Amino acid sequence: MFVSINWIKEYVDLEGLDIEKLIGSFTLATAEVEDIFYKGRDIEKVVIGQILTVKDHPENEKFKKPIHLLTVDAGDRVCNIVCAAPNVREGMKIPLALAGGRVPGGEITLAKVYGFESEGMCCSAYELGLSDDKSGLMELPADAPVGKDIKEVYPVEDIIFEVDNKSLTNRPDLWGHYGIAREFAALTGRELKPLDLASLDYDGTDKTEITIGREDLVYRYACLKMENITVNVSPVAMQIRLYYCGMRPINLLADVTNYIMLEIGQPTHAFDANKISNIVVTTPEEPIQFTTLDGVERNIDTDTLMIWNGTTPVAIAGIMGGLDSEIVGSTDSVVLESANFNGVSIRKSASRLNHRTDASARYEKMLDPELVEYAVKRFVKLVKQADPGARVASLMNDKYVSHYDRITITFDKAYVDRYTGIDISNERIIKTLTALGFGVDFDGGNFTVDVPSWRATKDVTMKADIIEEITRIYGYDNFLITTTKSPLKPVRISKQKNEDYEVKDILVKKYSFSELHSYVWCDGKKYRKLGIEVEDNVKVINIDNPDNSVLRNSMIPTMLAAVSENKDYADTFGVFEIGRVVNGTGSDGLCVEEKHLGAVLYSKATDEKTIYLKGVEIVNCLASLIKQKSVQYEKIAVRHNWQHPKNTASISIDGKEVGVINALYPTNRVKIDKNAAVVCIEINMDAFTALSASAVQFEEPSVQQATYYDLSLVVPENVRYSQIEKAWSDLSIAELESVKLIDLFDRANIKSITLRFNFSSHERTLGMEEVQAWIDSIVANLGTIGVALRA
């Protein structure tokens, strides 16, 4: 939100104050200021000029656009100006930048332009930084004083500061300049001037009828008719102020409604009175199509609050008006809507329509219903100032459906002292709260505080909120810094957290993986680049980007997207994340969430077999170090299209499947890098944590010489490693310390593995004869399942 210091000065006298320091105090006390912009400082020697004569350039046929030779009255002299603007005419008053002056684009010099001397430049509003309009010269009012510096007549020079909208979420009163002016008044100890409101003088009995169909969604709705509006263009000062604060000037009536919204935070809407006779505020009985002011046809569901003229929809309540009832240049009478709607309903409707506006952003913050009447009176005041002939043509019909409860908070001085830790005087407390608009009654012992309506919608509800009001205006930087004495008790980390940390430590410290942090939804755009389809799953219905609407059911595509984005930084690396996935919904209608480890190994330096075995080693290491258990692998059918049809296996511990390891399907792998190998590991951390860990057994290393023996075996297609493992485990050979897979060969219908058997004894050095006997027994057992020595 952009805030104008010139605007603030209309309500609070800031004379003699350091504005930058004051903005800094506002940041500390109220809301974060992101940036400060100095408007108009780079404009010098720009005066109000009047075009006296207009002649065409004698050689216009040479140019792509008409060139005009002007004489312009600059007050103290007449200047010759060369100008190419299409809207020049005699008698027109315009901003004239004199030679030696400056505009935001640079310095103006005496120069020959198209062969004629030009003593300055006639300016568009865009060239002065006052508008985005480049269509022609800025036309000033007929009563603009010729020769006067434009900065003396209009608020061209200003200080604009940008407030972070997130810091205003719980302060609906700060979504307008008047609320911010109240903060400045409290910070400076100066008076807040009242709003200049009109009296709604009308002698007749006419009024626009209002019917509220959904009283649960409408808190207050008021409307008033004005007629005989003949001025179409808003005052220059208003246009400048709107533009500086991020709004585009349109016409008088639209500009006044926007001005009021920026001034007090209350959105209003002006309907063409010729198209409004009987207002109904309700939701449609069935879905409808409705075209909004921006020309977009929108699908309106039965939960969206609408404004109707009888049975014809004319606006989406709190969001945007309809195209058929918009204000146009010829409109001379209007029905003004000023209303207060249920903020949650407006937010949901804006999200469903994917159309969040300045009005809806304010309504969803739960505005003060009392602003409704202020906005009507302010509208009448501003319109009459711009067009004195305009008049009120009806009574204000005001349907005040629902009032917020009055909030009164009682506390004593001891409560303030205990919470703040400092002594703030009773007088300071009363002065601070009064300056912020609170009603304060002090009986010598207790404070009784009435919360003003603009803070009572959701902001200030309890004593702690009052303490915050007192202390922030007092100034947090004025607090004495002291060390707090309080007991620090260690928090016991859960088993799951401990095992998460162990997994992360192993992957990072032992295998040099990089950890990622990602979102829980699928990124459809990134998935498409990798040829991965977004699988059907639970969807987020109110998300702005449909590409991100589906919640992921696997961690791997997210990891693959990260690998693709980082593949140019290293030839070999691994990434992982322990995050959430969703697998449909349960019987209670809630998402079935699981915590998964997703890990991907990428390498252009090694082949797929090597990196696959590396993945197996990593899984074995995790199971061994954390659970002290072995892992079983079994080939399975693919569950996702990106899994390799042959090289996909389940990961089981104690007979329970906890995950999957797979090579990447070739089509998807090529999308990342055709010369790379990619292997994926996904482990259900909930299932992994649920496994009991075996007791850690310590064994003294043998001082005797160890012996190892390698066997190369031909393995039939249907034999699993767990079956092969029984060939030695059933023999219960105490001297067999370990068996390790050291090579794998799978080509031309031949599958061969090489195993290394390590033997050792604590009592003696083993002889080759007894080792050979054990090997012969193992080979014999292998033969019973069709596994033979490779010739």
Side-chain angles (χ1 to χ4, degrees):
M1 176 178 169
F2 295 102
V3 180
S4 161
I5 287 294
N6 283 347
W7 210 336
I8 298 296
K9 287 179 179 178
E10 289 192 4
Y11 313 119
V12 184
D13 180 11
L14 303 181
E15 189 67 34
L17 297 177
D18 185 330
I19 299 300
E20 289 187 3
K21 187 175 180 181
L22 183 56
I23 292 173
S25 298
F26 178 83
T27 293
L28 292 174
T30 308
E32 181 184 353
V33 174
E34 295 188 321
D35 210 344
I36 301 176
F37 307 93
Y38 298 93
K39 300 290 189 178
R41 286 190 176 183
D42 48 3
I43 295 176
E44 297 175 6
K45 294 183 67 175
V46 177
V47 301
I48 296 171
Q50 184 170 22
I51 299 174
L52 301 177
T53 63
V54 180
K55 294 181 180 180
D56 288 340
H57 193 288
E59 299 178 337
N60 254 349
E61 65 277 1
K62 292 183 178 180
F63 310 124
K64 293 182 179 179
K65 56 184 176 181
I67 306 300
H68 308 290
L69 306 179
L70 314 179
T71 57
V72 182
D73 183 0
D76 59 350
R77 56 193 166 116
V78 175
C79 300
N80 294 312
I81 305 293
V82 180
C83 179
N87 63 330
V88 295
R89 69 176 190 278
E90 292 180 358
M92 183 180 184
K93 289 186 177 180
I94 43 85
L96 175 63
L98 299 172
R102 291 189 62 85
V103 295
E107 186 177 352
I108 304 300
T109 60
L110 187 67
K112 271 200 170 186
V113 181
Y114 295 105
F116 286 84
E117 189 174 80
S118 186
E119 299 176 84
M121 180 176 75
C122 296
C123 301
S124 67
Y126 174 79
E127 288 164 331
L128 295 177
L130 306 179
S131 171
D132 288 331
D133 185 9
K134 305 178 185 179
S135 62
L137 298 181
M138 180 181 184
E139 183 165 2
L140 300 176
D143 60 354
V146 174
K148 275 282 190 180
D149 191 304
I150 194 171
K151 291 162 70 171
E152 295 178 12
V153 181
Y154 303 114
V156 172
E157 190 162 342
D158 198 356
I159 298 175
I160 304 294
F161 62 93
E162 184 178 7
V163 180
D164 175 23
N165 286 351
K166 295 189 294 296
S167 62
L168 302 179
T169 299
N170 294 316
R171 290 292 303 273
D173 61 307
L174 296 184
W175 283 78
H177 279 70
Y178 195 70
I180 292 178
R182 185 184 294 112
E183 295 288 312
F184 275 53
L187 289 169
T188 59
R190 299 189 176 187
E191 179 189 1
L192 177 68
K193 301 173 186 176
L195 283 167
D196 189 5
L197 304 176
S199 59
L200 305 181
D201 298 328
Y202 176 66
D203 296 332
T205 59
D206 288 348
K207 64 179 181 180
T208 303
E209 292 299 323
I210 302 172
T211 303
I212 308 297
R214 289 292 302 270
E215 293 192 351
D216 56 326
L217 303 182
V218 184
Y219 296 161
R220 189 176 186 182
Y221 194 97
C223 64
L224 177 98
K225 184 178 179 180
M226 288 193 75
E227 64 183 14
N228 198 40
I229 301 168
T230 58
V231 175
N232 184 45
V233 180
S234 56
V236 173
M238 180 180 289
Q239 294 183 45
I240 293 172
R241 194 163 283 178
L242 287 173
Y243 181 71
Y244 282 176
C245 292
M247 305 291 286
R248 179 176 60 88
I250 302 170
N251 56 50
L252 174 62
L253 296 172
D255 291 353
V256 169
T257 59
N258 286 333
Y259 191 89
I260 292 170
M261 181 175 66
L262 295 179
E263 185 175 53
I264 63 174
Q266 172 65 42
T268 57
H269 185 73
F271 296 102
D272 187 331
N274 296 317
K275 300 174 182 178
I276 299 293
S277 58
N278 176 30
I279 290 177
V280 178
V281 189
T282 190
T283 51
E285 295 180 357
E286 57 185 27
I288 61 172
Q289 300 281 314
F290 181 70
T291 304
T292 45
L293 281 171
D294 54 2
V296 177
E297 188 175 67
R298 303 183 186 278
N299 298 315
I300 307 298
D301 63 18
T302 55
D303 291 324
T304 300
L305 189 66
M306 299 290 292
I307 312 299
W308 310 72
N309 178 39
T311 58
T312 303
V314 291
I316 306 174
I319 299 176
M320 183 173 276
L323 189 63
D324 291 341
S325 61
E326 72 170 325
I327 299 298
V328 294
S330 60
T331 301
D332 61 358
S333 61
V334 296
V335 171
L336 176 73
E337 166 200 273
S338 183
N340 188 281
F341 304 111
N342 179 289
V344 175
S345 170
I346 299 300
R347 177 180 57 80
K348 288 182 176 180
S349 295
S351 296
R352 286 194 300 270
L353 294 168
N354 193 22
H355 189 54
R356 196 164 182 260
T357 62
D358 289 305
S360 68
R362 286 166 171 78
Y363 277 123
E364 67 188 38
K365 304 300 185 295
M366 311 299 286
L367 294 176
D368 175 14
E370 298 300 320
L371 291 174
V372 166
E373 185 174 351
Y374 292 144
V376 173
K377 292 180 176 180
R378 190 69 177 135
F379 179 86
V380 173
K381 185 70 177 182
L382 292 172
V383 170
K384 284 189 172 183
Q385 283 179 348
D387 187 353
R391 59 177 178 266
V392 175
S394 77
L395 296 171
M396 182 178 78
N397 194 356
D398 186 3
K399 300 288 186 180
Y400 207 147
V401 179
S402 177
H403 293 255
Y404 281 98
D405 294 335
R406 179 183 173 186
I407 299 176
T408 301
I409 299 172
T410 302
F411 59 93
D412 57 15
K413 176 69 161 54
Y415 181 83
V416 179
D417 293 345
R418 185 168 66 254
Y419 256 76
T420 63
I422 58 176
D423 181 17
I424 302 177
S425 68
N426 293 333
E427 292 74 18
R428 185 69 177 269
I429 293 172
I430 294 170
K431 182 180 179 182
T432 297
L433 293 175
T434 302
L436 291 170
F438 292 82
V440 184
D441 181 49
F442 181 58
D443 62 7
N446 292 317
F447 295 90
T448 301
V449 175
D450 289 328
V451 179
S453 61
W454 58 85
R455 301 296 299 279
T457 60
K458 66 173 183 176
D459 180 19
V460 177
T461 59
M462 55 186 178
K463 290 191 288 186
D465 295 330
I466 296 294
I467 298 299
E468 181 184 359
E469 296 303 301
I470 296 168
T471 53
R472 69 184 182 83
I473 300 300
Y474 179 83
Y476 297 122
D477 51 340
N478 293 324
F479 277 58
L480 181 66
I481 298 175
T482 57
T483 301
T484 301
K485 294 181 180 179
S486 56
L488 294 177
K489 299 179 181 179
V491 178
R492 185 178 297 278
I493 300 176
S494 67
K495 175 187 176 185
Q496 188 171 46
K497 277 287 185 187
N498 262 328
E499 293 194 352
D500 287 352
Y501 290 143
E502 288 185 71
V503 168
K504 291 178 182 182
D505 277 350
I506 292 169
L507 292 176
V508 172
K509 296 177 180 178
K510 185 174 177 65
Y511 295 103
S512 301
F513 272 57
S514 297
E515 185 178 6
L516 304 177
H517 294 280
S518 63
Y519 295 114
V520 72
W521 52 77
C522 302
D523 191 323
K525 185 176 180 181
K526 292 181 179 179
Y527 283 22
R528 285 193 294 273
K529 288 182 179 180
L530 300 177
I532 297 174
E533 68 172 308
V534 176
E535 298 174 3
D536 189 35
N537 200 13
V538 178
K539 294 181 180 179
V540 181
I541 60 175
N542 64 340
I543 200 163
D544 289 342
N545 186 353
D547 272 342
N548 299 337
S549 63
V550 180
L551 300 183
R552 66 187 176 194
N553 59 9
S554 169
M555 295 292 296
I556 299 304
T558 305
M559 301 298 102
L560 292 172
V563 167
S564 180
E565 291 170 349
N566 291 278
K567 64 184 178 181
D568 296 329
Y569 296 103
D571 286 344
T572 300
F573 63 88
V575 296
F576 78 94
E577 180 183 3
I578 296 177
R580 295 283 178 181
V581 301
V582 173
N583 283 310
T585 56
S587 58
D588 56 1
L590 300 178
C591 291
V592 179
E593 285 191 55
E594 296 174 353
K595 183 188 284 188
H596 281 202
L597 163 68
V600 171
L601 297 89
Y602 169 89
S603 180
K604 288 196 288 187
T606 55
D607 58 19
E608 189 170 89
K609 181 181 81 171
T610 303
I611 199 172
Y612 192 94
L613 292 176
K614 188 70 174 179
V616 170
E617 177 191 330
I618 290 171
V619 174
N620 290 343
C621 180
L622 293 175
S624 175
L625 293 181
I626 299 174
K627 296 295 186 180
Q628 295 79 49
K629 299 202 177 210
S630 60
V631 180
Q632 298 83 47
Y633 300 90
E634 183 173 353
K635 183 178 177 181
I636 59 172
V638 299
R639 298 166 183 173
H640 304 281
N641 290 340
W642 40 264
Q643 292 175 328
H644 198 290
K646 290 186 176 180
N647 299 326
T648 296
S650 63
I651 300 169
S652 298
I653 301 174
D654 286 347
K656 297 178 180 178
E657 184 178 321
V658 296
V660 174
I661 181 171
N662 65 275
L664 191 60
Y665 191 74
T667 302
N668 305 114
R669 177 177 57 78
V670 168
K671 297 277 188 182
I672 297 175
D673 191 316
K674 64 180 181 180
N675 297 317
V678 181
V679 170
C680 313
I681 302 167
E682 185 159 18
I683 295 175
N684 185 327
M685 291 301 294
D686 296 326
F688 184 80
T689 302
L691 296 170
S692 60
S694 298
V696 178
Q697 296 181 346
F698 297 92
E699 185 175 309
E700 183 181 352
S702 173
V703 297
Q704 306 297 328
Q705 182 177 346
T707 300
Y708 70 86
Y709 201 111
D710 291 348
L711 289 180
S712 292
L713 307 170
V714 178
V715 182
E717 182 68 28
N718 61 342
V719 174
R720 299 193 302 272
Y721 186 82
S722 57
Q723 295 174 271
I724 297 174
E725 198 173 27
K726 286 180 173 291
W728 57 85
S729 62
D730 288 351
L731 296 174
S732 300
I733 303 170
E735 291 80 4
L736 180 58
E737 278 194 338
S738 65
V739 180
K740 186 176 181 181
L741 176 68
I742 62 173
D743 195 16
L744 176 67
F745 179 85
D746 188 358
R747 194 174 299 166
N749 298 322
I750 297 175
K751 181 185 289 183
S752 172
I753 62 173
T754 300
L755 302 176
R756 175 162 292 172
F757 296 80
N758 289 294
F759 296 92
S760 178
S761 171
H762 288 272
E763 291 79 26
R764 67 191 189 285
T765 300
L766 297 174
M768 199 59 213
E769 297 81 4
E770 54 185 328
V771 171
Q772 185 62 52
W774 290 325
I775 291 294
D776 291 343
S777 298
I778 292 171
V779 171
N781 285 349
L782 289 170
T784 62
I785 58 174
V787 177
L789 290 173
R790 189 173 72 195

